Amino acid sequence: MDSIIVTGNGPLSGQIPIAGAKNACLTLMPATLLSEEPLTLTNAPRLSDIKTMTELLQSLGTEVTSMSDGQVLAMSSHDMNNHIADYDIVRKMRASNLVLGPMLARLGHAVVSLPGGCAIGARPMDLHIDALTALGAEIELKDGYLHAQAPGGLKGAVHEMRFASVGATENVLMAATLAKGTTVLKNAAREPEIVDLADCLRAMGAQIEGDGTSTITIQGVDRLHGATHQVVTDRIELGTYMLAPAICGGEVECLGGRIELVGAFCEKLDEAGISVEETANGLKVSCKNGRAKAVNVTTEPFPGFPTDLQAQMMALMCTAEGNCVLEEKIFENRFMHAPELMRMGAQIEVHGGTASVTGVEKLKGAQVMATDLRASISLILAGLAAEGETIVNRVYHLDRGYERVVAKLSNLGAKIERVSGS
Ligand code: UD1
């Protein structure tokens, strides 16, 4: 298994290009199942999760052609010949469940494996099932698979979700585009990836209003047509690289970044004394006055502080001046990076969903283990600012969500290399 070796090397400077959003691309790709005509995505990120979704769609009969070094994905679901999303693929990635809504809408039936346990929490599917059931689907669990059918086709309905789940909102949004009549989804998630999905579906001929607010109205249409859509900027990759100069000092311009994607996060950076400036090409972050100040953070659905930036923010707080509390409200087990950061000298106490951090002046390099995607990058960020060498093991998690991380950080002056293991 490969490792990444990072050696603290002082301030960073330069420009870093931000890729298309993994989480947007993972919901845009299954949208191809809604139409017989081709869907082409541009600005796709080059990640192993995208390969997994490609494999899943191909198993359903979709043709996927990857062009421009993986940044353009041309898909055609003209000849769907399978309606079963197999456990062997679904277990690799929870987002595989996003084929459920579109398959049900297009074919009237779908069989999708339950994703199984996930390191950061239970992550059940009840909100997806409740919402699709409200649209007339009959769903039962047999042998670890959800068997869904809509004998007379899906029908529009008014449905309020108990929690604004991102994935459930995406599944319903896709399913409702081809349902008969009007669907009103209340307490919908408001993430930018949902707006991006709605933009793509509208380009395919769907009638959707209210995306980006908590009430989305979808007027079903008979068919969707082909389209070409550009994937929105990855706000999590953006926030992650904005933290690099915040942790190491220096000045970095994140190309393609926009404040509206990371508003709540930028407010916290401002409180911590990190300057963020909008430029013609993105966002420029500078930290020239020594250590950041400790700030309390609570994760919330968008537009709140994203759970997917909590681990990286903790890396910053480990060397900030003062004490702070990080509260995780989305996932129940998302502090697995804390004990690893403690191996580097961080002072952290975890009690259930909260972590208290007392900033230390300097972290020290150590061997650490990546436990999930965002935890992996938080350890790399911490390593960039630590004294000596940090070896991050199990970096395959990183390949799921960060493309060319070594090249991108090296360009800013970081000392970082990837070594292959057995
Ligand atoms: C998406 C993102 C993930 C991000 C998360 C929250 C993708 C591919 N992944 O995941 O990176 O961390 O949003 O911003 O876009 N829940 C239920 N029942 C359900 C569905 C969810 O109880 O049926 C719970 C989950 O266990 C979790 C919370 O709701 O505690 C949030 O989950 P959800 O918003 O659905 O996240 P995902 O779509 O899985």
Side-chain angles (χ1 to χ4, degrees):
M1 262 181 256
D2 292 6
S3 305
I4 286 187
I5 304 180
V6 197
T7 311
N9 194 30
L12 303 175
S13 71
Q15 296 181 319
I16 193 163
I18 305 301
K22 167 181 87 77
N23 286 352
C25 204
L26 288 176
T27 186
L28 292 163
M29 292 175 75
T32 178
L33 299 171
L34 290 164
S35 173
E36 290 191 353
E37 294 180 20
L39 173 63
T40 299
L41 299 176
T42 61
N43 197 33
R46 279 95 31 111
L47 302 168
S48 63
D49 271 7
I50 300 302
K51 289 200 178 117
T52 305
M53 183 56 85
T54 300
E55 204 188 325
L56 175 59
L57 291 175
Q58 284 170 335
S59 77
L60 302 173
T62 301
E63 272 178 40
V64 184
T65 311
S66 171
M67 295 177 288
S68 300
D69 190 28
Q71 285 178 298
V72 174
L73 297 172
M75 297 169 290
S76 167
S77 302
H78 188 270
D79 302 312
M80 281 184 75
N81 53 22
N82 179 21
H83 65 284
I84 303 173
D86 196 82
Y87 176 68
D88 276 342
I89 304 178
V90 176
R91 70 184 166 83
K92 291 189 200 162
M93 185 181 71
R94 179 178 163 85
S96 305
N97 64 28
L98 293 169
V99 298
L100 176 61
M103 273 206 285
L104 197 52
R106 166 105 175 261
L107 304 173
H109 55 267
V111 175
V112 177
S113 167
L114 275 183
C118 168
I120 60 173
R123 304 179 89 177
M125 288 277 296
D126 54 334
L127 298 167
H128 301 241
I129 295 169
D130 290 353
L132 293 171
T133 303
L135 296 190
E138 292 163 10
I139 304 180
E140 58 172 338
L141 177 64
K142 268 192 277 179
D143 308 324
Y145 282 76
L146 292 174
H147 292 249
Q149 47 183 327
L154 294 173
K155 293 183 188 66
V158 178
H159 179 71
E160 178 158 356
M161 292 200 296
R162 270 180 291 105
F163 175 81
S165 154
V166 175
T169 301
E170 291 165 345
N171 250 330
V172 174
L173 190 52
M174 289 188 275
T177 57
L178 293 179
K180 285 192 192 80
T182 307
T183 297
V184 180
L185 184 64
K186 296 184 178 175
N187 197 23
R190 292 181 279 168
E191 271 66 4
E193 293 75 25
I194 286 165
V195 176
D196 201 38
L197 173 63
D199 282 341
C200 175
L201 293 170
R202 274 189 287 265
M204 295 170 75
Q207 293 190 15
I208 302 168
E209 280 174 13
D211 44 295
T213 76
S214 38
T215 302
I216 306 182
T217 305
I218 307 120
Q219 179 70 51
V221 295
D222 288 340
R223 59 182 293 278
L224 294 182
H225 52 73
T228 295
H229 175 82
Q230 180 178 332
V231 180
V232 69
T233 299
D234 195 318
R235 65 197 165 95
I236 306 302
E237 193 197 26
L238 171 64
T240 301
Y241 289 132
M242 288 173 76
L243 281 168
I247 290 179
C248 302
E251 186 171 88
V252 170
E253 188 178 19
C254 296
L255 303 175
R258 286 183 280 127
I259 290 277
E260 65 267 27
L261 294 174
V262 279
F265 170 73
C266 285
E267 280 169 26
K268 286 295 165 187
L269 286 189
D270 185 50
E271 244 183 82
I274 310 294
S275 131
V276 179
E277 185 197 330
E278 283 189 273
T279 64
N281 301 316
L283 296 178
K284 190 183 277 179
V285 182
S286 33
C287 178
K288 291 182 175 156
N289 306 321
R291 290 165 71 185
K293 293 186 210 66
V295 292
N296 296 331
V297 171
T298 301
T299 64
E300 282 167 353
F302 193 85
F305 191 100
T307 173
D308 286 351
L309 284 174
Q310 178 260 108
Q312 301 89 312
M313 191 68 178
M314 187 184 281
L316 173 65
M317 290 299 109
C318 287
T319 52
E321 251 178 302
N323 307 312
C324 66
V325 173
L326 304 183
E327 196 177 353
E328 174 55 59
K329 286 223 170 146
I330 309 294
F331 292 108
E332 66 269 32
N333 184 23
R334 208 172 196 186
F335 285 131
M336 284 172 301
H337 40 284
E340 301 301 316
L341 289 167
M342 286 158 75
R343 291 175 55 75
M344 301 174 71
Q347 288 189 16
I348 307 168
E349 276 181 39
V350 175
H351 297 286
T354 59
S356 308
V357 185
T358 304
V360 296
E361 212 152 301
K362 206 79 186 132
L363 294 176
K364 294 199 169 51
Q367 282 233 28
V368 288
M369 191 77 86
T371 49
D372 65 60
L373 168 56
R374 306 304 170 185
S376 329
I377 197 80
S378 79
L379 297 171
I380 289 176
L381 288 176
L384 289 174
E387 245 166 46
E389 204 175 76
T390 297
I391 302 171
V392 184
N393 295 311
R394 291 205 187 159
V395 292
Y396 56 85
H397 290 292
L398 200 70
D399 300 330
R400 293 189 41 215
Y402 291 91
E403 60 168 46
R404 298 168 49 241
V405 68
V406 169
K408 285 188 179 186
L409 286 170
S410 301
N411 276 344
L412 302 179
K415 213 170 156 201
I416 177 166
E417 62 174 322
R418 184 169 181 136
V419 290
S420 334
S422 48

